[in-house]
Amino acid sequence: MPELPEVETIRKQLSQNIKGKIIKNIEVIDKKLAKSIKKSINNSKIKRLERYGKAILIKLSNKNCIGIHIKLTGQLIFMPKSKKDKLFSIAGVKQILPNKYTRAIIYFTDGAVLYFNDIRRFGWIKIDSCRKLQQDGFFSNLGPDALKKTLTISYFSNIIKSSKSSIKSLLMDQKKISGIGNIYANDALFLAGVHPKRPAESLSKQEAAKLYQAIQHVLKKGLKYKGASEINFVDIFGRPGEYQKHSLVYGKENNPCPKHCGERIKRIKIAGRGTFYCPGCQK
DNA sequence: ACCTAAACCTGGGCGC
DNA sequence: TGCGCCCAGGTTTAGG
């Protein structure tokens, strides 16, 4: 599922493959995407790629920016100029691009192509001046990034101390901390031994510190395995991530606890989302 | 300030 | 075979 490690995997790969290229044009296939495209990007050069929470921001040479959020089922697939046929393997399935889920296509002047595929059409592309885009409701409301130095232990302890909501909801609240979604929230809480329904303010200083470390640990592990492909996440070369093979509790209902406490993983709902935890280890 | 539920979408899995 | 139903989750919005 696209959370911080998945999006960061894409950002890094894109940075290595499209930085410096010049955009020829963008073809928007899904009309839903067209509304948020406010500037022309033709003939602009890719200067740098940044990640804001679970979104990617592509900075162009003419002070315009492309913001992309792949939400649940989006894919960015890169076709290098050397690849003459359009046959491509996505998660092991050979197919011709564009396919029926291709919602937009960016063409580069050197012949390379970037496909934006999205089964459920939740994802978005926003194109505007960088200044306006960063004032947009999504970008301007993000809390510090879960893997950057701006998320200090003291900031983290503070938001925990001052929140009555469940600790899991807090971890997933992008306004407070950006980048954590359902999979990594579940696993981090398990590692830290904290019950997901605990009111955040009830955590001790020690528990908050342990949770902070657990978050760093699971996100780095996610990066190491190039993301989790529970739904249909793939990298820009169409390859799935591996984290789902190493997740601790997410999706493991009824499995024995990975810490061998003798209990089985339970599944409950918090804010409408599937939540997995070990009743033996998480208090 | 906090919660929940519904909406946005579609494919896949299930029961019948 | 196929229909209807539920489920998945990132984010926004509406309502309590």
Side-chain angles (χ1 to χ4, degrees), chain A residues 79-243:
Chain A
M79 182 93 72
K81 60 181 171 184
S82 57
K83 214 159 159 14
K84 288 236 163 55
D85 56 27
K86 295 190 168 180
L87 199 60
F88 209 91
S89 180
I90 299 180
V93 180
K94 289 225 167 77
Q95 53 199 280
I96 306 264
L97 287 177
N99 64 23
K100 63 190 278 208
Y101 304 120
T102 302
R103 311 298 180 191
I105 309 173
I106 293 177
Y107 298 94
F108 297 96
T109 53
D110 69 351
V113 184
L114 186 64
Y115 296 91
F116 177 65
N117 300 338
D118 188 6
I119 294 178
R120 291 175 60 184
R121 300 170 65 211
F122 279 9
W124 46 251
I125 297 178
K126 299 178 181 182
I127 301 179
D128 208 338
S129 71
C130 296
R131 198 189 330 155
K132 274 199 186 158
L133 209 49
Q134 285 177 294
Q135 288 165 357
D136 161 283
F138 178 84
F139 289 99
S140 63
N141 282 326
L142 287 176
D145 191 279
L147 262 193
K148 292 191 181 148
K149 292 204 175 83
T150 46
L151 180 67
T152 60
I153 180 79
S154 68
Y155 172 87
F156 186 71
S157 307
N158 263 329
I159 56 169
I160 283 187
K161 242 186 333 198
S162 53
S163 169
K164 294 187 197 317
S165 74
S166 73
I167 183 64
K168 184 180 180 234
S169 298
L170 176 68
L171 292 186
M172 291 174 65
D173 182 348
Q174 305 299 301
K175 294 183 185 71
K176 303 269 171 56
I177 309 168
S178 58
I180 303 172
N182 208 19
I183 295 181
Y184 297 100
N186 276 291
D187 278 3
L189 286 164
F190 171 75
L191 262 191
V194 174
H195 193 292
K197 271 202 168 161
R198 284 266 300 278
E201 61 178 6
S202 77
L203 269 69
S204 69
K205 215 177 160 184
Q206 288 74 19
E207 286 174 317
K210 203 169 174 192
L211 184 54
Y212 180 86
Q213 295 304 329
I215 290 168
Q216 307 296 311
H217 183 269
V218 295
L219 292 178
K220 284 176 186 162
K221 188 170 154 191
L223 273 177
K224 181 181 156 194
Y225 290 114
K226 297 190 163 41
S229 297
E230 292 284 353
I231 300 187
N232 62 348
F233 169 76
V234 292
D235 68 10
I236 72 168
F237 307 111
R239 300 176 303 213
E242 303 273 324
Y243 182 84

Side-chain angles (χ1 to χ4, degrees), chain A residues 12-34:
Chain A
K12 272 194 223 157
Q13 294 177 338
L14 273 183
S15 185
Q16 283 166 15
N17 286 277
I18 67 169
K19 200 156 82 180
K21 287 194 193 301
I22 296 167
I23 294 172
K24 196 165 115 198
N25 66 301
I26 178 169
E27 179 185 352
V28 179
I29 296 161
D30 185 347
K31 287 202 176 84
K32 195 183 163 192
L33 296 173

Side-chain angles (χ1 to χ4, degrees), chain A residues 56-102:
Chain A
I56 289 173
L57 192 70
I58 304 176
K59 295 197 162 170
L60 306 174
S61 53
N62 56 5
K63 298 208 172 169
N64 288 337
C65 273
I66 306 173
I68 301 177
H69 200 308
I70 63 172
K71 292 282 181 82
L72 301 165
T73 57
Q75 303 172 331
L76 287 166
I77 303 289
F78 177 68
M79 182 93 72
K81 60 181 171 184
S82 57
K83 214 159 159 14
K84 288 236 163 55
D85 56 27
K86 295 190 168 180
L87 199 60
F88 209 91
S89 180
I90 299 180
V93 180
K94 289 225 167 77
Q95 53 199 280
I96 306 264
L97 287 177
N99 64 23
K100 63 190 278 208
Y101 304 120
T102 302

